[in-house]
Amino acid sequence: MIEQYVWDLQEVDETQVGVVGGKGAHLGGLSRIEGIRVPAGFCVTTDAFRRIMAEAPSIDDRLDQLSRLNPDDREAIRTLSAQIRRTIEGVAIPGDVAAAVTRALARLGEQPAYAVRSSATAEDLPTASFAGQQDTYLNVVGPAAILQHVSRCWASLFTERAVTYRQRNGIDHRTVHMAVVVQQMVLPHAAGVLFTADPVTGNRKVATVDAGFGLGEALVSGLVNPDVFTVRHGEVVAKAIAAKQRAVHALPAGGTQEVAIDAQRQEQPALTDAQVVRLVQLGRRIEARFGRPQDIEWCLVDDDFRIVQSRPITTLFPVPETGDQEDHVYVSVGHGQMMTDPMKPLGYSMWQLTAMVPMHEAGGRLFVDVTRRLASPASRAGLLDVLGRGDPLIRDALETVLDRDDFVPSLPDPGPGGPPAGGASAPSEPDPAIVPELIERSQVSIAALERDIRTKTGPALFDFLLEAFEEHKRVLSDPLSMQAIMAGMEATWWLNDKLQEWLGEKNAADTLTLSAPGNVTSEMGLALLDVADVIRPQSEVVAFLQGVEDEGFLDELPKLAGGTEARDAIEAYLDRYGMRCVGEIDITRPRWRERPTTLVPVILDNVRNFEPGAAERRFEQGRQKAQQKEQDVLSRLRALPDGDRKADEAKRMIDRVRTFIGYREYPKYGIVSRYFIYKQALLEEAERLVRAGVLPEKEDVFYLTFQELHDVVRSNQVDDQLIQQRKDAFRSYHSLTPPRVLTSDGEAVTGAYRRDDVPAGALIGLPVSAGTIEGRARVILDMAEADLEAGDILVTPFTDPSWSPLFVGIAGLVTEVGGLMTHGAVIAREYGLPAVVGVEQATRLIRDGQRIRVHGTDGYVEILRGAAGGDPVGFRDDGAHLP
């Protein structure tokens, strides 16, 4: 039994994280790879740690106190974690544990010094590295000192930074245990870090090596800048040799010290090119063993590399699996759909099954492979044009890849029967009657779906849904629908291009489309103003709504004066729009009908910030402004040479854009309406599985793909471990930033605007709705937490149609994601809000409460420093006060 407290490194591998922690498990796995040398050593197991914790009962109470603390209460965390560390270090190591460690040291021989290293069970995992959370001690000499440092490693599970990390990530302190690795100390000529993928770009075919003289501590602590080598295809392709003035060396009596490096050695490379290439080859072996790119710590002793640590690089965005060795270029679906958050497996698999093109999943996001379309010059031009109009950063990123002559192959253009370059083109004069006809067809199809699905359960439901998905795609791909969408979009582009050419006016279509009829998304925002009108006079209802937390609040409303009318108004709104929600392309996201409390803050903002009748007034003001703009544009055109022709053409396009641009939002409304019907049927199946004891919770089905859920319903059996793995993976995906463009090498390609027409320090984006506005920035990440005042400017990562109710109460819009024809841009133009989208890292660079100026015509945002807070009054560039 004594030996359970110590395991030799050669006895463990990466499957034994629970016994020897993440670092110990990885070192054991490393020691089994042919050609990889790991300094000899052993692990003091988590059993020893548990034994120590049991010897100090007072720790239990302190862990309870710790779990109740707010992660931001740094002072309380600092005090309590220090108490726990002192308690652990004060526990005498039991004799049998100490004896096991001493025997293990004796087995290693007369080695004078050791490294004593923390190895927590939640460390160096595929989804979270926890790097630097606990302590390592170098050059520890003698058994007594080693035992003392083992005790310090146990205590370091409760450093302030480790405790705060767990608090912020929702990890129970009691579920993490500490093992300790004791290894023979190596005294290297050089040391450093090898990344088997480029940690900045994500490129899996590029490795980078950081190197310095002496122990690696000099690099880790930031004492010196390292030499940096870049390796691709077994060759050093770039290097930067630093002036290395200091190094860290081991002392004979134990411990380490900084030493100065001789002047003539300071600018010598720490490694030769041949050594760098050999090190990367070792790194590729390690990467193959662990199945993912690695962050590897190494030492060089007598021209021989020793590996002292390897952990997964957890910041890299995953690459879609293709099963081939070809080069691929992927474009993000989420950037086009205004939803860059990760999707759960049921969500992305249903989108794949109902999408018009094949989509590939990676990191919980979907991507379209555009390699073949880029390879053919004709289809390439059309693709770049369409994507560039929507998001210039995507176009620039694709052009960056195309500039590398060797990555995208060149294919011949398709023959005359091939697809048109830019997708479906609008007919010269589409019939305005097709819009109501298309809406009617969609409503009939959705009503049939709702009727027919009611009788379907079990495997028959899934067979029915697969047929329903075909109908779903048929409606989406209706040529008439494409004509109507393109008619509005192409008329917008024509007006902007021609009116700038003829009149020198930028983005004139933005004003001409104000209050365009038939836009189901802008109507949704105005309709919530009407709901506020019903609620505003009812003081009891307003007071009640201010304290609402429970989703059953609608049933409580009739008990209040005016509550029945309030409930009926909200219910009517949910009947029409309750299938919507933030991130609505993911079927697993809670809909407003399922979580109506989401709408309460917006309703209360509308009650507070608007007068009765605001919806009708706003729509009419926008319509009149558009009419005045039309008259102004046409009269100015008639004054030009050949003016009557230009005015007639412009009038035809203005009529076309006002007829068709509202329909742009309808297909998405139809999709989401269908999704809610699918979801309700699938959740009924999930409830049956819970009743049958197959699943513990109905929402566990969200972590299965549609196909996997179909299998579970057929077999009444589920893989619980798979669901847990999916939950862990989904949680980890939130920390990843999805790239607009991704290559099969794993490189996240970031585009640039390449503009020099903006003031220094301004944040550049895409102009999507004209006008200039100054006001208070409200940085909002969750619509349910919005608290807006009139004149505020909404700053958020992305908006989809569900954000439209907020648009009626803001003065301007800034988003990190978006394009000319994405929903936020369309609705901003409908409401006349100056808007700039595609502003990289806007929610980090703009602080909540700062005053900013949004240049919606020219596409940039200025941060007005030192003017945060206050109650801003906004002015448009035409001098008109905002509501």
mmCIF file with all atom_site columns, all heavy atoms in Angstrom, residues 98-113:
data_model
loop_
_atom_site.group_PDB
_atom_site.id
_atom_site.type_symbol
_atom_site.label_atom_id
_atom_site.label_alt_id
_atom_site.label_comp_id
_atom_site.label_asym_id
_atom_site.label_entity_id
_atom_site.label_seq_id
_atom_site.pdbx_PDB_ins_code
_atom_site.Cartn_x
_atom_site.Cartn_y
_atom_site.Cartn_z
_atom_site.occupancy
_atom_site.B_iso_or_equiv
_atom_site.pdbx_formal_charge
_atom_site.auth_seq_id
_atom_site.auth_comp_id
_atom_site.auth_asym_id
_atom_site.auth_atom_id
_atom_site.pdbx_PDB_model_num
ATOM 1   N N   . ALA A 1 98  ? 6.429  10.166 3.349   1.00 0.00 ? 98  ALA A N   1
ATOM 2   C CA  . ALA A 1 98  ? 7.823  10.621 3.309   1.00 0.00 ? 98  ALA A CA  1
ATOM 3   C C   . ALA A 1 98  ? 8.764  9.469  2.960   1.00 0.00 ? 98  ALA A C   1
ATOM 4   O O   . ALA A 1 98  ? 9.711  9.638  2.170   1.00 0.00 ? 98  ALA A O   1
ATOM 5   C CB  . ALA A 1 98  ? 8.201  11.230 4.668   1.00 0.00 ? 98  ALA A CB  1
ATOM 6   N N   . ALA A 1 99  ? 8.485  8.282  3.527   1.00 0.00 ? 99  ALA A N   1
ATOM 7   C CA  . ALA A 1 99  ? 9.345  7.124  3.256   1.00 0.00 ? 99  ALA A CA  1
ATOM 8   C C   . ALA A 1 99  ? 9.278  6.722  1.790   1.00 0.00 ? 99  ALA A C   1
ATOM 9   O O   . ALA A 1 99  ? 10.293 6.356  1.181   1.00 0.00 ? 99  ALA A O   1
ATOM 10  C CB  . ALA A 1 99  ? 8.924  5.956  4.152   1.00 0.00 ? 99  ALA A CB  1
ATOM 11  N N   . ALA A 1 100 ? 8.080  6.794  1.206   1.00 0.00 ? 100 ALA A N   1
ATOM 12  C CA  . ALA A 1 100 ? 7.915  6.434  -0.209  1.00 0.00 ? 100 ALA A CA  1
ATOM 13  C C   . ALA A 1 100 ? 8.728  7.378  -1.092  1.00 0.00 ? 100 ALA A C   1
ATOM 14  O O   . ALA A 1 100 ? 9.376  6.965  -2.059  1.00 0.00 ? 100 ALA A O   1
ATOM 15  C CB  . ALA A 1 100 ? 6.435  6.468  -0.588  1.00 0.00 ? 100 ALA A CB  1
ATOM 16  N N   . VAL A 1 101 ? 8.683  8.668  -0.761  1.00 0.00 ? 101 VAL A N   1
ATOM 17  C CA  . VAL A 1 101 ? 9.440  9.652  -1.546  1.00 0.00 ? 101 VAL A CA  1
ATOM 18  C C   . VAL A 1 101 ? 10.947 9.407  -1.393  1.00 0.00 ? 101 VAL A C   1
ATOM 19  O O   . VAL A 1 101 ? 11.706 9.422  -2.373  1.00 0.00 ? 101 VAL A O   1
ATOM 20  C CB  . VAL A 1 101 ? 9.076  11.094 -1.104  1.00 0.00 ? 101 VAL A CB  1
ATOM 21  C CG1 . VAL A 1 101 ? 10.002 12.117 -1.755  1.00 0.00 ? 101 VAL A CG1 1
ATOM 22  C CG2 . VAL A 1 101 ? 7.615  11.401 -1.457  1.00 0.00 ? 101 VAL A CG2 1
ATOM 23  N N   . THR A 1 102 ? 11.395 9.169  -0.149  1.00 0.00 ? 102 THR A N   1
ATOM 24  C CA  . THR A 1 102 ? 12.827 8.950  0.103   1.00 0.00 ? 102 THR A CA  1
ATOM 25  C C   . THR A 1 102 ? 13.337 7.723  -0.645  1.00 0.00 ? 102 THR A C   1
ATOM 26  O O   . THR A 1 102 ? 14.426 7.724  -1.220  1.00 0.00 ? 102 THR A O   1
ATOM 27  C CB  . THR A 1 102 ? 13.073 8.805  1.619   1.00 0.00 ? 102 THR A CB  1
ATOM 28  O OG1 . THR A 1 102 ? 12.516 9.945  2.276   1.00 0.00 ? 102 THR A OG1 1
ATOM 29  C CG2 . THR A 1 102 ? 14.551 8.737  1.928   1.00 0.00 ? 102 THR A CG2 1
ATOM 30  N N   . ARG A 1 103 ? 12.528 6.625  -0.648  1.00 0.00 ? 103 ARG A N   1
ATOM 31  C CA  . ARG A 1 103 ? 12.926 5.406  -1.369  1.00 0.00 ? 103 ARG A CA  1
ATOM 32  C C   . ARG A 1 103 ? 13.045 5.671  -2.870  1.00 0.00 ? 103 ARG A C   1
ATOM 33  O O   . ARG A 1 103 ? 13.948 5.190  -3.538  1.00 0.00 ? 103 ARG A O   1
ATOM 34  C CB  . ARG A 1 103 ? 11.924 4.281  -1.117  1.00 0.00 ? 103 ARG A CB  1
ATOM 35  C CG  . ARG A 1 103 ? 12.220 3.470  0.142   1.00 0.00 ? 103 ARG A CG  1
ATOM 36  C CD  . ARG A 1 103 ? 11.477 2.134  0.103   1.00 0.00 ? 103 ARG A CD  1
ATOM 37  N NE  . ARG A 1 103 ? 10.036 2.331  0.010   1.00 0.00 ? 103 ARG A NE  1
ATOM 38  C CZ  . ARG A 1 103 ? 9.255  2.541  1.089   1.00 0.00 ? 103 ARG A CZ  1
ATOM 39  N NH1 . ARG A 1 103 ? 9.791  2.598  2.289   1.00 0.00 ? 103 ARG A NH1 1
ATOM 40  N NH2 . ARG A 1 103 ? 7.970  2.682  0.951   1.00 0.00 ? 103 ARG A NH2 1
ATOM 41  N N   . ALA A 1 104 ? 12.085 6.456  -3.392  1.00 0.00 ? 104 ALA A N   1
ATOM 42  C CA  . ALA A 1 104 ? 12.122 6.771  -4.828  1.00 0.00 ? 104 ALA A CA  1
ATOM 43  C C   . ALA A 1 104 ? 13.376 7.571  -5.173  1.00 0.00 ? 104 ALA A C   1
ATOM 44  O O   . ALA A 1 104 ? 14.002 7.350  -6.217  1.00 0.00 ? 104 ALA A O   1
ATOM 45  C CB  . ALA A 1 104 ? 10.864 7.546  -5.225  1.00 0.00 ? 104 ALA A CB  1
ATOM 46  N N   . LEU A 1 105 ? 13.761 8.505  -4.292  1.00 0.00 ? 105 LEU A N   1
ATOM 47  C CA  . LEU A 1 105 ? 14.987 9.273  -4.514  1.00 0.00 ? 105 LEU A CA  1
ATOM 48  C C   . LEU A 1 105 ? 16.207 8.356  -4.516  1.00 0.00 ? 105 LEU A C   1
ATOM 49  O O   . LEU A 1 105 ? 17.115 8.499  -5.346  1.00 0.00 ? 105 LEU A O   1
ATOM 50  C CB  . LEU A 1 105 ? 15.145 10.345 -3.425  1.00 0.00 ? 105 LEU A CB  1
ATOM 51  C CG  . LEU A 1 105 ? 14.185 11.540 -3.522  1.00 0.00 ? 105 LEU A CG  1
ATOM 52  C CD1 . LEU A 1 105 ? 14.239 12.366 -2.245  1.00 0.00 ? 105 LEU A CD1 1
ATOM 53  C CD2 . LEU A 1 105 ? 14.523 12.413 -4.725  1.00 0.00 ? 105 LEU A CD2 1
ATOM 54  N N   . ALA A 1 106 ? 16.203 7.383  -3.586  1.00 0.00 ? 106 ALA A N   1
ATOM 55  C CA  . ALA A 1 106 ? 17.335 6.453  -3.505  1.00 0.00 ? 106 ALA A CA  1
ATOM 56  C C   . ALA A 1 106 ? 17.458 5.636  -4.789  1.00 0.00 ? 106 ALA A C   1
ATOM 57  O O   . ALA A 1 106 ? 18.563 5.344  -5.263  1.00 0.00 ? 106 ALA A O   1
ATOM 58  C CB  . ALA A 1 106 ? 17.169 5.534  -2.288  1.00 0.00 ? 106 ALA A CB  1
ATOM 59  N N   . ARG A 1 107 ? 16.309 5.254  -5.366  1.00 0.00 ? 107 ARG A N   1
ATOM 60  C CA  . ARG A 1 107 ? 16.328 4.458  -6.599  1.00 0.00 ? 107 ARG A CA  1
ATOM 61  C C   . ARG A 1 107 ? 16.954 5.237  -7.758  1.00 0.00 ? 107 ARG A C   1
ATOM 62  O O   . ARG A 1 107 ? 17.524 4.671  -8.671  1.00 0.00 ? 107 ARG A O   1
ATOM 63  C CB  . ARG A 1 107 ? 14.907 4.030  -6.992  1.00 0.00 ? 107 ARG A CB  1
ATOM 64  C CG  . ARG A 1 107 ? 14.378 2.849  -6.187  1.00 0.00 ? 107 ARG A CG  1
ATOM 65  C CD  . ARG A 1 107 ? 13.201 2.183  -6.902  1.00 0.00 ? 107 ARG A CD  1
ATOM 66  N NE  . ARG A 1 107 ? 12.090 3.087  -7.147  1.00 0.00 ? 107 ARG A NE  1
ATOM 67  C CZ  . ARG A 1 107 ? 11.117 3.342  -6.269  1.00 0.00 ? 107 ARG A CZ  1
ATOM 68  N NH1 . ARG A 1 107 ? 11.137 2.767  -5.077  1.00 0.00 ? 107 ARG A NH1 1
ATOM 69  N NH2 . ARG A 1 107 ? 10.134 4.162  -6.564  1.00 0.00 ? 107 ARG A NH2 1
ATOM 70  N N   . LEU A 1 108 ? 16.796 6.572  -7.728  1.00 0.00 ? 108 LEU A N   1
ATOM 71  C CA  . LEU A 1 108 ? 17.345 7.391  -8.811  1.00 0.00 ? 108 LEU A CA  1
ATOM 72  C C   . LEU A 1 108 ? 18.846 7.601  -8.670  1.00 0.00 ? 108 LEU A C   1
ATOM 73  O O   . LEU A 1 108 ? 19.486 8.159  -9.565  1.00 0.00 ? 108 LEU A O   1
ATOM 74  C CB  . LEU A 1 108 ? 16.638 8.757  -8.852  1.00 0.00 ? 108 LEU A CB  1
ATOM 75  C CG  . LEU A 1 108 ? 15.208 8.743  -9.398  1.00 0.00 ? 108 LEU A CG  1
ATOM 76  C CD1 . LEU A 1 108 ? 14.562 10.101 -9.247  1.00 0.00 ? 108 LEU A CD1 1
ATOM 77  C CD2 . LEU A 1 108 ? 15.163 8.306  -10.851 1.00 0.00 ? 108 LEU A CD2 1
ATOM 78  N N   . GLY A 1 109 ? 19.426 7.175  -7.509  1.00 0.00 ? 109 GLY A N   1
ATOM 79  C CA  . GLY A 1 109 ? 20.881 7.254  -7.354  1.00 0.00 ? 109 GLY A CA  1
ATOM 80  C C   . GLY A 1 109 ? 21.329 8.537  -6.700  1.00 0.00 ? 109 GLY A C   1
ATOM 81  O O   . GLY A 1 109 ? 20.566 9.225  -6.027  1.00 0.00 ? 109 GLY A O   1
ATOM 82  N N   . GLU A 1 110 ? 22.597 8.884  -6.955  1.00 0.00 ? 110 GLU A N   1
ATOM 83  C CA  . GLU A 1 110 ? 23.236 9.983  -6.223  1.00 0.00 ? 110 GLU A CA  1
ATOM 84  C C   . GLU A 1 110 ? 23.048 11.337 -6.926  1.00 0.00 ? 110 GLU A C   1
ATOM 85  O O   . GLU A 1 110 ? 23.860 12.224 -6.756  1.00 0.00 ? 110 GLU A O   1
ATOM 86  C CB  . GLU A 1 110 ? 24.744 9.687  -6.068  1.00 0.00 ? 110 GLU A CB  1
ATOM 87  C CG  . GLU A 1 110 ? 25.049 8.479  -5.196  1.00 0.00 ? 110 GLU A CG  1
ATOM 88  C CD  . GLU A 1 110 ? 24.462 8.636  -3.799  1.00 0.00 ? 110 GLU A CD  1
ATOM 89  O OE1 . GLU A 1 110 ? 24.713 9.687  -3.160  1.00 0.00 ? 110 GLU A OE1 1
ATOM 90  O OE2 . GLU A 1 110 ? 23.742 7.727  -3.363  1.00 0.00 ? 110 GLU A OE2 1
ATOM 91  N N   . GLN A 1 111 ? 22.002 11.445 -7.731  1.00 0.00 ? 111 GLN A N   1
ATOM 92  C CA  . GLN A 1 111 ? 21.743 12.721 -8.413  1.00 0.00 ? 111 GLN A CA  1
ATOM 93  C C   . GLN A 1 111 ? 21.665 13.844 -7.364  1.00 0.00 ? 111 GLN A C   1
ATOM 94  O O   . GLN A 1 111 ? 20.904 13.765 -6.417  1.00 0.00 ? 111 GLN A O   1
ATOM 95  C CB  . GLN A 1 111 ? 20.414 12.623 -9.180  1.00 0.00 ? 111 GLN A CB  1
ATOM 96  C CG  . GLN A 1 111 ? 19.924 13.925 -9.779  1.00 0.00 ? 111 GLN A CG  1
ATOM 97  C CD  . GLN A 1 111 ? 20.711 14.331 -11.014 1.00 0.00 ? 111 GLN A CD  1
ATOM 98  O OE1 . GLN A 1 111 ? 21.406 13.510 -11.592 1.00 0.00 ? 111 GLN A OE1 1
ATOM 99  N NE2 . GLN A 1 111 ? 20.630 15.584 -11.396 1.00 0.00 ? 111 GLN A NE2 1
ATOM 100 N N   . PRO A 1 112 ? 22.447 14.924 -7.523  1.00 0.00 ? 112 PRO A N   1
ATOM 101 C CA  . PRO A 1 112 ? 22.495 15.928 -6.457  1.00 0.00 ? 112 PRO A CA  1
ATOM 102 C C   . PRO A 1 112 ? 21.270 16.844 -6.386  1.00 0.00 ? 112 PRO A C   1
ATOM 103 O O   . PRO A 1 112 ? 20.930 17.329 -5.320  1.00 0.00 ? 112 PRO A O   1
ATOM 104 C CB  . PRO A 1 112 ? 23.755 16.737 -6.792  1.00 0.00 ? 112 PRO A CB  1
ATOM 105 C CG  . PRO A 1 112 ? 23.935 16.568 -8.262  1.00 0.00 ? 112 PRO A CG  1
ATOM 106 C CD  . PRO A 1 112 ? 23.429 15.201 -8.582  1.00 0.00 ? 112 PRO A CD  1
ATOM 107 N N   . ALA A 1 113 ? 20.605 17.136 -7.505  1.00 0.00 ? 113 ALA A N   1
ATOM 108 C CA  . ALA A 1 113 ? 19.556 18.164 -7.496  1.00 0.00 ? 113 ALA A CA  1
ATOM 109 C C   . ALA A 1 113 ? 18.356 17.718 -8.331  1.00 0.00 ? 113 ALA A C   1
ATOM 110 O O   . ALA A 1 113 ? 18.488 16.954 -9.286  1.00 0.00 ? 113 ALA A O   1
ATOM 111 C CB  . ALA A 1 113 ? 20.116 19.477 -8.035  1.00 0.00 ? 113 ALA A CB  1
#
